[in-house]
Amino acid sequence: MSHPLHGKIQHKFLLGLACIFLLLGGVFLFSLNLHLREMLHIEAEAKAELVFSHVSSLQQYVRDTLRPSVRGHIPDEDFLLEAMSTSFVTRKVFVDLNGQREQYLYRRVSMSPRNPASQANELERELITGFRNDGALRTLRGYRVIDGVEHYILARPVYFEADCMYCHGDPADAPRVLLERYGAARGFGHKDGDLAGMDFVGMPVDRSVQQVREAITLFGGSFYAAAAGVFLLIIIFFNRLVVANLRRLTGIFRQNFQSPGDRSILNRLDEGDEINSLMEAFGAFAAHLREARVKLEDYAANLEDKVRERTEDLSQEAAEHRTDVELFVDLLGDLNSSQSHAELLRGALPRIAARFGASRATYLCAPMGREQYAWPTPPSPDDTARMPEDWLNVVNARQVRVEPGRVFVPVSTSDFSRGLMALYWDDGRTPDLTPEVLLALGQQLGIAIENLDAIDALLRQNRLLELIFEGISDPVLLVEEGGTVVLANTSARALADGVRPGARIGTWLGSISEKALGDGGLAAAIAGREPSNLELELPGPRVMAVSVYPLRDGGDMGRAVVYLRDTTLERRVRAQMQQSEKLAALGQLAAGLAHEINNPLGVINCYAQLLQKTQQDPQAQEDLEVIVQHTQKARLVLQDLLGLARANRTLTGPSDLNAVLRDMAQIFRVQLESAGADIELNLSRDLPRVAADATSLEQILTNLLVNAIDAMPQGKGRIRVRTETVGTGATGGATGGATGGAAGAEAEGHEHRGYVRLTVSDNGPGIPPDNMTQIFDPFFTTKEIGKGTGLGLTVVHELLRDLGGMVEVTGDGGATFVITLPVASDLPPASGDPDIGDDDATCANIQGDRA
């Protein structure tokens, strides 16, 4: 029967553990509170500085721009207060017209202002007094309660300057409008450098403080809830591993010391915690022996030998009890240092055999008996044969069986039988043993084996999960809420070679992912509570489909599993399909319009020219010329449409791309000179001939150069053209696209020796990202009405698709078109121009008139 005092060691342990958890929680919440308040302070200060920056900018604008401009439109003696007074304009904008007063409070005040609305209140007078007492002080900041709301305040002094003396110096020199509105009693008589007042900004922080308190409450509740769960688990394990066994040990004392003379030993078991009670019991037992020895010395001489024998028996019994306790403690130590059953049993069997003086000790696992451990090693061949045939019954009965020369001890826990331990004595004699001690020993060994099994199962489960995680072919990351990568599988590590967990997710995805984190997209998905899907554009260009699965259970709160999949090819194929559908619809439209509109346009054009010959009125001649011009322009649009709709294939050359570029530069010389623009040619020597006819190349270059000339600023334009040879090999089709998502074209597969890259760039305004997906669409143009049909880049796109080439576009810092053409097979490279350039490239500048 257990005693109420047997839980004292447990109470002490749990009390200390609870104190540790409370201390850790307090430190955590205190640190979190300091951090959040510091962040609140930084945010409030930044907002106040921003308001001051806007105030200074507005005042500077009034002084440097608005006031001189108004002065030039009114007489010198007049003064327009609403446009020339920095104080009036600032107060009007930031006070009277402030639509976000709950976000910030701005005041420009003085101790004795001209305008009563600028009169300083008690707090403001205190701050102005501080600036007046300390002339070197330029800023006052801190926290104040204003109208019952806590504010972060930032105040800066305002001093009169020379320009201010016109309105604040001698009243006789002041504008009439000021005297009429405010009188001459206040706001005058100041000097240059006097303290005029101060600018005051207050940022309310009560809501932010409340949010900080709520966050601390949430984190504190979560921490202590988790701590309570851990605390409960520790209670369970401590009871099973320590308290239960110590109670069994004290029970052994109570069962073996029942006589009235042993009452002092039993009383010591009820004092203090379990360990101390055992030590006290042993001390009392030793004292009891000493008292018995003193009493025996008084007996007659014939009883001296008997008393000595009894004393020796008691000493031996005490030593055995002490040895039993040491054995139990050693088993607990073996559990902490062992990694497997074999390691545990190799350490435990020798100790158990030594304790009972056995020659050998074996252990047989239940229920199949396939594992056997023995000491000493190697085991005796007949150890297994000497096991009883009904050894499973012995295990299940949980009773010690004693036979001559051997003892069988069941090894079990409270709800499961683990195996059978056997002790052997070679001399065939079995010493006097206490079955209860052997049963307790078997239970202790069973508990140790059960704990090892639990640990081993956890390790195997962890390994299985690791294999599954590493076996996923796509990149998978475990990311903390701030973006730090905790775990990454093999595919994710291959995505960012040399990068290890601990870096931010931007290291894997590139700089654009850091922007996504800053903009709140990916960060919000990681911090969210529901799975979400994102699409990120990475440098390359590449497109990643990102699936985020937040973890909100257990100890991984605030983390998320990020699954990545490269969808660049899918996006391009989808864009190509959309472009093909548009062109197919355009072809059908062009086929229908060709006969329905072209013939009427020809009739209109013919009759307009006939009327021109018969009309003598100049105005009528001009009107008819307008009809002829617009009719011809409409027919040109129809011709472009028919060109796109026809199924005629372009010729595949070969052609000398460098020669075509030089010819086109000469052709456009006059147009470049009229626009005041330059064209710079950087042509690679020994450039292979391309698989494209010269006519198609000229049409492509014409559209690109015309667009560049139209886009560049007048008199400052520069076009750069560059050719170079890129990789060799086979391609299944060339894809064209625009950076930012514009679709390209896919041609039929060809075998080529390599590719030639042509780059055409200008210094115009570039292409806005919103237009990137539409620049190859028919009729899409950003030019003025009448300057473009919107079919030029569509023609370029279709020609390159037929030639097996590709086009890519970037629009930052001017438009850049990168065209890739296949090299014509089995042809020598085009000869370079020996008169222009160096060994590696042909470079030429064709400059227009910049005068």
Side-chain angles (χ1 to χ4, degrees), residues 222 226 230 478 480 486 551-559:
S222 302
V230 175
L478 178 61
E480 291 184 340
V486 180
L551 303 178
R552 289 299 169 188
D553 296 328
D556 291 322
M557 293 183 65
R559 295 182 175 182

Side-chain angles (χ1 to χ4, degrees), residues 79 102 104 134 139 177 205 242 334 484 500 543 659 785:
F79 186 83
E102 62 180 9
Y104 70 90
D134 187 356
T139 302
V177 65
V205 297
V242 178
D334 290 339
T484 302
R500 293 293 179 265
V543 181
I785 297 176

Side-chain angles (χ1 to χ4, degrees), residues 288-307:
H288 181 71
L289 291 179
R290 287 195 298 271
E291 293 175 1
R293 184 182 61 186
V294 172
K295 292 179 180 179
L296 290 176
E297 289 178 353
D298 296 335
Y299 283 103
N302 56 349
L303 298 177
E304 184 176 324
D305 294 336
K306 187 175 181 180
V307 172

